Amino acid sequence: MSEEQVTEALNAGAEIATLADTQDINLFVGGEMGIGNTTSASALAAALSKMPIEELVGKGTGVDHDGLKRKQDAISRAIRLHSATELSPLEALRCLGGFEIAGLVGAYIRCAQLGIAILVDGFISTAAALVACKINPTIRPWLFFSHRSEESGHKHLLTMLDAQPLLDLGMRLGEGSGAAIAAPLLQAACRLHAEMASFEQAGVSQ
């Protein structure tokens, strides 16, 4: 992406978060749709973590062994081309990320600034969360993580973010699907915290 493009994508995500705030939304879920974006997410993870590419790159939508090798080679070439392990998080996003990842980064940062909790969904959204936290570490307390993806690099991203996902169901889908399942758990937890009677209120004997 050009500098103008990455700025535009970040701003587009921030605008969605601002719109959510005007509608009194208190939980933001960002999903993604696309083909090939596990590759860009893996490239970002490798650049920011300096971990071996083989540990971060999975089969995505189900490529065979040869496809996985091509994917790993493409990421290696991209990281060498941009000297990506030496880049700032924003420059790594510009050189290796996609528009949807940049949009999520902008949305996550803006949501935290507005006091909106964020439910992060799956591998690609977690890669965006890692970039966002590298750019602005103060947003981390606003992030909740819906599930642990089967994509091989996801567990490493969660470790880097010191994140414990709510669910581990062997899911591979993105598009916000894991967050849709996890959201009722957060809603139930909030209701229990807000509405459950104390021992004194319930008349429980000491």
Side-chain angles (χ1 to χ4, degrees), residues 154-184:
H154 194 216
K155 62 183 178 182
H156 297 297
L157 294 183
L158 292 169
T159 298
M160 282 184 259
L161 287 161
D162 191 25
Q164 183 63 43
L166 296 171
L167 300 169
D168 190 348
L169 300 175
M171 297 177 67
R172 280 192 178 275
L173 291 174
E175 296 92 40
S177 52
I181 296 172

Side-chain angles (χ1 to χ4, degrees), residues 17-162:
T18 301
L19 177 62
D21 186 53
T22 65
Q23 298 177 355
D24 294 325
I25 290 171
N26 54 24
L27 180 65
F28 181 89
V29 176
E32 43 66 36
M33 292 185 69
I35 298 298
N37 49 13
T38 58
T39 302
S40 49
S42 298
L44 277 169
L48 294 176
S49 70
K50 298 181 174 61
M51 288 183 61
I53 291 167
E54 293 76 15
E55 294 186 27
L56 294 166
V57 181
K59 294 185 176 182
T61 52
V63 298
D64 59 17
H65 176 76
D66 291 338
L68 180 61
K69 184 65 167 59
R70 287 193 297 271
K71 187 175 178 180
Q72 292 170 343
D73 290 344
I75 292 170
S76 295
R77 291 196 304 272
I79 288 175
R80 288 197 303 271
L81 174 66
H82 298 291
S83 300
T85 56
E86 308 304 320
L87 295 177
S88 69
L90 183 58
E91 275 295 286
L93 175 64
R94 185 179 72 81
C95 294
L96 301 174
F99 292 121
E100 77 288 17
I101 295 177
L104 286 168
V105 171
Y108 291 160
I109 292 173
R110 185 60 179 149
C111 278
Q113 291 170 339
L114 293 168
I116 300 173
I118 301 149
L119 187 55
V120 180
D121 178 75
F123 178 58
I124 294 158
S125 296
T126 304
L130 178 64
V131 176
C133 287
K134 292 285 188 180
I135 293 172
N136 185 345
T138 66
I139 75 166
R140 176 61 186 88
W142 294 95
L143 300 175
F144 298 86
F145 295 81
S146 63
H147 71 107
R148 190 187 314 277
S149 170
E150 278 292 284
E151 189 69 13
S152 58
H154 194 216
K155 62 183 178 182
H156 297 297
L157 294 183
L158 292 169
T159 298
M160 282 184 259
L161 287 161
D162 191 25

